[in-house]
Amino acid sequence: MNEGFVAAFGRPPEAVAQAPGRVNLLGEHTDYNDGLVLPIALPQHTVVSLGRLSSGSDFTLRSDAFAGPLRFDVERLPDEPFGRYVFGCIREVLAAGHGVPPLDIHVASELPMGVGLSSSAALEVATLRALRALLALPIDDVRIAQMAQRAETDYAGVRCGIMDQMAASLADTGHALFLDARTLQTRLWALPAGAAVLVLDSGTPRSLVASGYNQRRSECEEACVRLGVASLRDVERIEDVEALAEPWRRRARHVVAENARVRRAVASSDAATLGELMNASHGSLRDDYEVSTPALDQLVSLLQAHRAVHGAKLTGAGFGGACVAVCVAERIGEVARDVLADYRRLGGRGRLLAPSPPPG
Ligand code: GLA
């Protein structure tokens, strides 16, 4: 794990930490509405290695993901988006009252960027874990997720919820993390027996994700004002949103129904029920929340039509990127091959993102 740092800086690191990407099975666009989510960690990780410098005030960041070193100090936000996540984490540690010495930092990641697998949350959580290890910081995993979220909202400009950072900090690959974004209470939920998670990239870039995402958040805030509630989590009956004007009616209906779907999924341990709820979630994200794209709809339809798939949906913010399916575990390789071939015949260019390594 140390080779990248040694090659970049000519000495071994003093602290190394990693964090996984995530895929969300259910509960989309609910976290910033104080709602319920069900992400699961992916096998791919981001690894951050740190070493103290004896002098200066600078941070030097190197990664295989870009050519030259990135240099910054704590006063100036780096131009490069990648550097902003790391800068944001360092600022969060300083804001919590802990000193941070000048550092050499190396980042190595197996996670593809920009497809919706939360490579940024993995980078933030791995950075904070490495800082915690190096500086013996008294912060727990939930606090790490909160600091990571603020690094993203305050320094990278996306008003994200806390799901991705909580998943990177607390989830594992064998269980989904049932998270209540209002209380930050979590419970590990085992995947139904014999089921496995497949993640396919639609091959279309996530265009408009930042602007579309922030717009959806504002629409939810406006729906709350019109309903006279503090958050859409407080709407208990779906009928209560029906009197709203559009688009607030459909936005609120998605959020309220999606929370109910997560509750139903974790109350059962049945793959068919989970699959049905995932299919319904995709329909709601497409028609009510309007964050799907024609390519995502096509790939999801192909997945849903496969006999070894229990259910499928887009995952994450939407607007392009990846889809997730829950399949019969022993047929996961067949599903990936069949669906990617059909998608290609229809003109799409998809690829397998998980499991990783690919099934034989
Ligand atoms: C992105 C955000 C999350 C969440 C999802 C949608 O991944 O970072 O906080 O809102 O979109 O469910």
Side-chain angles (χ1 to χ4, degrees), residues 258-279:
E258 189 79 347
N259 281 330
R261 281 188 280 271
V262 177
R263 273 207 186 87
R264 278 188 57 204
V266 296
S268 102
S269 52
D270 170 39
T273 305
L274 174 63
E276 227 173 78
L277 293 164
M278 291 172 75
N279 293 346

Side-chain angles (χ1 to χ4, degrees), residues 22 24 26-33 37 116-118 120-121 149 152 158-165 206 209 213 217 254 258 285 289 291 313-318:
R22 69 93 186 94
N24 190 21
L26 208 58
E28 225 59 90
H29 291 275
T30 48
D31 59 352
Y32 54 82
N33 289 300
V37 295
L117 302 187
S118 290
S120 58
Q149 182 199 18
E152 181 132 356
V158 177
R159 296 179 62 209
C160 65
I162 200 163
M163 166 172 71
D164 303 341
Q165 291 77 13
R206 293 196 308 156
V209 64
Y213 187 89
R217 272 198 82 144
H254 165 74
E258 189 79 347
L285 289 162
Y289 219 66
V291 293
K313 58 182 269 294
L314 68 81
T315 184

